[in-house]
């Protein structure tokens, strides 16, 4: 049976981190890598136990964190490592010093920067969409200096008609005005627009409420969380799937 090819929209709002760039995905791997680098100082605690404690604290922290923390990522990481250390001490393990927490957190930040890369095919897909006449906005949360540096480092500036960074504009996803402002900048309405990104709340829930077609980026093919009430309009693993003629 022939597949129905969906016509391209007038505009797309595209997330940056873990949609165009491999940035913050798989934190458990990153924390284990960094904890192993500090194994001698963490002894006798095994690095994987420290990594697990920090990751647990970090997930709880970010689940409840105010938006302002997105603009202070380095500081937030220091806080979460100290929190993980405190949880270990509270359960009877060796108390690890704050200066070690700070060094471990800062190394995690530098490691993440070192390991970032553009997903294969992402530049080419964006360039092709632009050539086909789709208006493109990059809509990313985070601090102005950090996110702008990534935009420039990974050659995204000239690829988008509008670049919207939370720290530069004073608002970000999932605030409705983040999407409304981007659409206004492109001169389009919700019915003309697709949103693409890896965060179910930011790239699916609010966009769908506004009438935007919401596409979830599941780059690792993990699927929706069990029992998820959130239903993206489409799920993709690569921006190349958005191109005409791609399944």
């Amino acid at each position: 049976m022939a597949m129905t090819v969906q016509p391209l929209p007038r505009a797309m709002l595209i997330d940056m981190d873990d949609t165009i760039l491999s940035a913050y995905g798989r934190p458990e791997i990153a924390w284990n890598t960094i904890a192993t680098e500090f194994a001698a100082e963490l002894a006798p605690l095994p690095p994987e136990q420290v990594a697990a404690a920090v990751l647990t604290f970090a997930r709880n922290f970010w689940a409840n964190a105010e938006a302002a923390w997105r603009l202070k990522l380095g500081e937030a990481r220091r806080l979460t490592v100290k929190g993980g250390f405190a949880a270990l001490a509270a359960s009877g393990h060796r108390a690890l010093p704050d200066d070690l927490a700070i060094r471990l957190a800062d190394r995690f930040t530098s490691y993440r920067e070192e390991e970032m890369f553009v997903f294969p095919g992402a530049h080419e897909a964006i360039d092709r969409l632009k050539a086909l006449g789709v208006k493109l906005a990059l809509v990313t949360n985070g601090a102005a200096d950090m996110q702008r540096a990534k935009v420039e480092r990974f050659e995204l500036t000239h690829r988008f008609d509008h670049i919207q960074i939370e720290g530069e504009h004073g608002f970000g996803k999932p605030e409705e005005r983040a999407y409304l402002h981007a659409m206004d900048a492109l001169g389009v309405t919700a019915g003309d627009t697709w949103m693409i990104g890896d965060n179910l709340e930011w790239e699916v829930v609010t966009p769908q409420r506004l009438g935007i077609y919401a596409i979830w980026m599941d780059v690792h093919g993990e699927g929706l969380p069990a029992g998820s009430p959130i239903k993206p309009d489409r799920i993709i693993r690569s921006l190349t799937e958005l191109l005409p003629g791609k399944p």
Side-chain angles (χ1 to χ4, degrees):
M1 189 171 71
M3 177 180 289
T4 302
V5 178
Q6 189 167 12
L8 289 171
R10 286 187 62 208
M12 293 185 191
L13 313 181
I14 305 178
D15 172 53
M16 180 167 67
D17 295 320
D18 298 305
T19 298
I20 297 170
L21 310 178
S22 176
Y24 304 124
R26 300 285 174 92
E28 64 284 352
I29 295 173
W31 280 119
N32 272 289
T33 300
I34 299 311
T36 300
E37 288 185 12
F38 285 81
E41 292 184 79
L42 297 172
L45 282 165
E48 58 271 19
Q49 186 174 2
V50 176
V54 170
L55 187 62
T56 296
F57 188 93
R59 283 182 167 147
N60 289 334
F61 173 82
W62 286 112
N64 302 290
E66 294 179 0
W69 281 108
R70 295 198 295 263
L71 308 182
K72 302 182 289 185
L73 205 51
E75 188 180 333
R77 285 180 180 143
R78 289 181 173 192
L79 186 153
T80 57
V81 176
K82 288 179 182 178
F85 282 10
L88 288 166
S91 60
H93 295 287
R94 175 193 163 204
L96 297 164
D98 277 356
D99 77 288
L100 177 57
I102 290 168
R103 286 187 289 115
L104 196 149
D106 291 352
R107 172 62 189 130
F108 183 87
T109 294
S110 64
Y111 173 81
R112 283 302 216 184
E113 292 293 323
E114 292 162 13
E115 294 294 308
M116 280 183 196
F117 63 89
V118 177
F119 284 127
H123 274 166
E124 295 78 7
I126 293 164
D127 292 346
R128 180 70 180 137
L129 290 167
K130 191 170 186 181
L132 288 167
V134 180
K135 295 183 178 184
L136 301 174
L138 182 72
V139 183
T140 180
N141 283 356
D145 53 352
M146 183 177 71
Q147 297 302 80
R148 180 60 66 175
K150 280 189 261 183
V151 167
E152 293 175 2
R153 172 183 169 190
F154 295 108
E155 301 178 345
L156 299 175
T157 309
H158 70 281
R159 292 187 150 92
F160 287 88
D161 302 295
H162 173 65
I163 291 177
Q164 188 171 304
I165 297 171
E166 180 182 22
E168 292 180 352
H169 283 73
F171 52 83
K173 300 171 290 187
E175 293 177 72
E176 289 189 358
R177 62 177 167 161
Y179 315 89
L180 297 172
H181 182 83
M183 289 189 293
D184 188 54
L186 297 180
V188 296
T189 60
D192 299 323
T193 305
W194 292 359
M195 176 82 224
I196 303 99
D198 69 299
N199 186 300
L200 287 167
E201 292 289 338
W202 300 353
E203 273 90 43
V204 178
V205 174
T206 307
Q208 284 181 338
R209 189 166 66 240
L210 293 172
I212 298 168
Y213 186 84
I215 300 174
W216 182 51
M217 174 68 78
D218 179 22
V219 74
H220 300 296
E222 294 172 346
L224 290 167
S228 173
I230 302 169
K231 303 298 178 191
D233 294 301
R234 185 176 171 191
I235 299 174
I236 60 172
R237 294 188 63 179
S238 166
L239 291 176
T240 59
E241 293 176 46
L242 300 175
L243 298 174
K246 298 292 181 181

